[in-house]
Amino acid sequence: MRRPLLAATVATATVVALSVSPITAATAAPSAPGDYTVVSADGVPAADAVAAITAAGGTIVSRNDAVGVFRVSSTDAGFRTAVAGSSKLIGASERKAFGYAPKDLTVEAPATGANAPAAAAAPALRTDPLDEKLWGQRMIRADMAHKIQKGNRGVTVGVLDTGLDASNPDLAKRFSPVLSRNFAPDIPAVDGPCEVASCLDPVGTDDGGHGTHVAGIIGASLDGSGLSGVAPGVTLVELKGGQDFGLFFLDPVVNALTYAGDAGIDVVNMSFYVDPWLYNCKANPADSPEAQAEQRAIIAGMRRALNYAHRKGVTLVAALGNNHEDLGKPRIDSSSPDYGGTPYDRPIDNRTCWDLPAEGPHVIGVSSVGPSKMKSDFSNYGVEQTSVAAPGGWARDGFGTPTYLSPGNQILSTYPLKILQAAGRVDADGNITPAGAPNTFKACNAAGECGYYGYLQGTSMAAPHAAGVAALIVSQYGRPDQRNGGLTLNPDVVERRLLRSAAETPCPTPRLRSYVQEGRDVEFDAFCEGGTKFNGFYGHGIVDAYAAVGGQ
């Protein structure tokens, strides 16, 4: 799950217009005080919601009538209170710049330090030179799956993230600029000065890096250069719903999801949680009335958008998060709100609080494992939420061996050149510096086009492994999509095949896994509930691409 960059904490421009989306929008300036997302009450017509917003002192900036979500500006200091008191509206979520508390940067940050092999190399069945470093692909038998199915160009995978750097030749061949959209204009208070006058970065760019890394795991080309993804033949679609710094607000996420449904996107990967609340609760006594209404609005808006996308044929895959907790038995949340206010302690009631989108309807939740197949110490888990597990990396795996704390224990994928240059890992001429040499890679194809690659770890890296397998399933078993072209497959069918083909993995012995020897405190201790067929660490098992497309 996304934790702002330094790059998944590491957790979306110019296009041909399609007449498929229920979104209508005016050209809006970047976010400023008085910028709200408002959600209408269930069953309220859009006209009535607009009238209520206007009466509360708001002006509609854009609207998504399909799910009753409105972006609104207001100079009225009492606007949130007025919205919360309206029978036509659920609540308002405000984006404001004071009191910002940065998210944890320690999990999915780019790897540093000397490299070492994460595991003994298995015989390589694929051709790209960096594939030998992809232990995760071998774990899920993606290399073997490619003998049966590499992915169909008519299958589309939406990367709902910080963007996608299509200048990398491994992504350029798979990227659709026509279908891609940016729903998240830069917010200067969060992202820094806008790079373009409209603050709406063009598609095919990524100032955060997280989305580019996720995209490569899913579908980097199998072309003899660089590395390849789980489904190297599918089409990648940028759905920019996150800010460059890694915050994901309700309005752009909802708009991205409904667009995905209308545009016929087959699979959407979501490696983030919706800010500013780690858990959205219906009526947490620790929260103010306005904060309670805001969270109810986020819950309603996300549920509607997820249901809408699923109903339109989208398979939804999400990272479970990096907070090392059982999502069915959550700890006190001390990190929220992470934007627009000062965080405070919030006891979390599992019955009335949700981590979204991971705990939303129709979402396939993915936990993370390291090269040893042990649950990564940072990964969330639990029998209520874990659908499957997948390789997300774990630098501390292999304690007592040379691989411990090795970047090679993490996940290698595509990464934007300009971010590596800003970090001093690549110089102005495009050459890897001594600081970047142990864990940054450059690969150039026969045409002289070069791509760059780096290591990250997190459930953000696990989810796209599962999303890639889902895309292979649609490629192998899908039928012609009469509405949008390409292939399509009912998302419930995709989910069943993904779960049934996963490699069953039992709980460790003993069931209480301590990570103290790996240097973690006892808060990281995790108890694995369940049996071999289904448990809280692995769900139905570790995804298996080869079995998913018919292999044995």
Side-chain angles (χ1 to χ4, degrees):
M1 178 168 290
R2 171 74 169 160
R3 296 290 186 276
L5 292 207
L6 304 174
T9 242
V10 273
T12 140
T14 52
V15 291
V16 176
L18 299 180
S19 301
V20 296
S21 178
I23 303 165
T24 59
T27 301
S31 225
D35 182 10
Y36 301 87
T37 300
V38 178
V39 179
S40 63
D42 292 343
V44 172
D48 291 354
V50 169
I53 291 169
T54 303
T59 300
I60 305 293
V61 176
S62 64
R63 52 194 281 184
N64 188 330
D65 291 356
V67 289
V69 175
F70 304 82
R71 188 168 180 186
V72 178
S73 65
S74 178
T75 58
D76 190 334
F79 179 71
R80 287 179 73 197
T81 301
V83 168
S86 171
S87 62
K88 304 294 184 182
L89 308 170
I90 295 176
S93 178
E94 183 179 9
R95 289 182 280 189
K96 55 186 177 181
F98 70 82
Y100 173 65
K103 291 185 184 179
D104 176 20
L105 302 180
T106 59
V107 178
E108 292 164 8
T112 59
N115 201 358
L125 299 179
R126 299 192 290 175
T127 60
D128 286 359
L130 292 176
D131 284 356
E132 65 178 3
K133 301 181 184 298
L134 306 184
W135 59 266
Q137 303 276 21
R138 294 191 293 276
M139 180 184 291
I140 68 170
R141 302 201 292 174
D143 49 355
M144 297 175 66
H146 295 164
K147 295 188 295 183
I148 300 173
Q149 179 61 256
K150 294 182 177 69
N152 188 297
R153 182 175 289 275
V155 174
T156 49
V157 182
V159 182
L160 208 175
D161 217 292
T162 61
L164 190 158
D165 180 12
S167 69
N168 188 306
D170 257 337
L171 300 180
K173 297 175 183 178
R174 308 264 60 91
F175 174 67
S176 172
V178 174
L179 288 175
S180 295
R181 295 288 189 277
N182 180 351
F183 298 95
D186 286 347
I187 302 173
V190 175
D191 305 311
C194 297
E195 292 89 353
V196 296
S198 67
C199 290
L200 192 72
D201 295 336
V203 296
T205 63
D206 182 8
D207 294 332
H210 188 267
T212 298
H213 199 272
V214 166
I217 295 169
I218 296 169
S221 296
L222 178 56
D223 57 4
S225 177
L227 51 73
S228 56
V230 175
V234 301
T235 295
L236 298 171
V237 179
E238 174 189 350
L239 302 175
K240 189 177 188 301
Q243 306 305 133
D244 297 342
F245 191 68
L247 293 169
F248 289 76
F249 295 115
L250 177 64
D251 181 71
V253 170
V254 163
N255 290 342
L257 285 169
T258 56
Y259 169 77
D262 289 332
I265 306 301
D266 295 294
V267 180
V268 168
N269 185 87
M270 300 175 288
S271 291
F272 60 89
Y273 70 81
V274 178
D275 298 283
W277 306 97
L278 177 60
Y279 288 94
N280 288 278
C281 303
K282 286 187 172 181
N284 193 327
D287 299 325
S288 69
E290 291 79 14
Q292 291 179 5
E294 174 184 29
Q295 291 167 62
R296 288 194 293 270
I298 292 172
I299 293 167
M302 283 300 297
R303 285 180 173 173
R304 292 175 191 173
L306 293 167
N307 282 325
Y308 185 93
H310 176 267
R311 189 167 63 248
K312 293 277 189 171
V314 181
T315 297
L316 301 162
V317 181
L320 280 185
N322 302 327
N323 207 38
H324 56 275
E325 68 180 323
D326 184 336
L327 289 174
K329 302 169 185 176
R331 299 189 304 269
I332 290 175
D333 172 21
S334 300
S335 66
S336 304
D338 64 6
Y339 185 77
T342 302
Y344 53 91
D345 287 349
R346 308 169 62 232
I348 301 300
D349 175 17
N350 185 54
R351 299 169 301 170
T352 58
C353 300
W354 293 269
D355 180 354
L356 296 169
E359 295 187 287
H362 310 296
V363 174
I364 299 168
V366 187
S367 64
S368 171
V369 300
S372 69
K373 299 186 180 180
M374 178 55 65
K375 184 189 81 69
S376 308
D377 56 4
F378 53 77
S379 179
N380 287 345
Y381 59 99
V383 293
E384 289 186 12
Q385 292 80 14
T386 308
S387 303
V388 290
W394 181 26
R396 296 170 187 260
D397 207 352
F399 178 77
T401 75
T403 65
Y404 177 64
L405 291 177
S406 162
N409 282 344
Q410 302 185 34
I411 302 299
L412 184 66
S413 187
T414 46
Y415 211 69
L417 169 61
K418 67 179 180 181
I419 296 178
L420 293 171
Q421 288 177 323
R425 294 165 64 178
V426 176
D427 66 23
D429 296 324
N431 299 312
I432 296 172
T433 66
N439 45 62
T440 305
F441 301 90
K442 176 182 179 180
C444 302
N445 59 24
E449 301 166 324
C450 300
Y452 294 82
Y453 308 83
Y455 287 102
L456 298 179
Q457 65 174 5
T459 56
S460 283
M461 285 62 254
H465 280 88
V469 176
L472 290 178
I473 291 170
V474 180
S475 299
Q476 182 71 5
Y477 303 104
R479 56 179 174 77
D481 186 343
Q482 303 300 327
R483 182 168 64 96
N484 298 294
L487 298 176
T488 187
L489 189 62
N490 186 303
D492 292 333
V493 174
V494 177
E495 181 176 6
R496 283 196 297 270
R497 184 166 287 274
L498 180 71
L499 271 52
R500 290 174 181 174
S501 62
E504 294 177 356
T505 307
C507 287
T509 302
R511 287 175 177 268
L512 179 63
R513 177 58 160 94
S514 170
Y515 296 92
V516 171
Q517 71 173 6
E518 285 88 1
R520 297 300 198 182
D521 62 41
V522 294
E523 184 181 272
F524 283 77
D525 289 358
F527 185 80
C528 184
E529 297 180 275
T532 299
K533 291 186 176 295
F534 180 83
N535 59 66
F537 278 16
Y538 305 101
H540 291 270
I542 298 172
V543 294
D544 185 334
Y546 186 51
V549 297
Q552 300 300 315

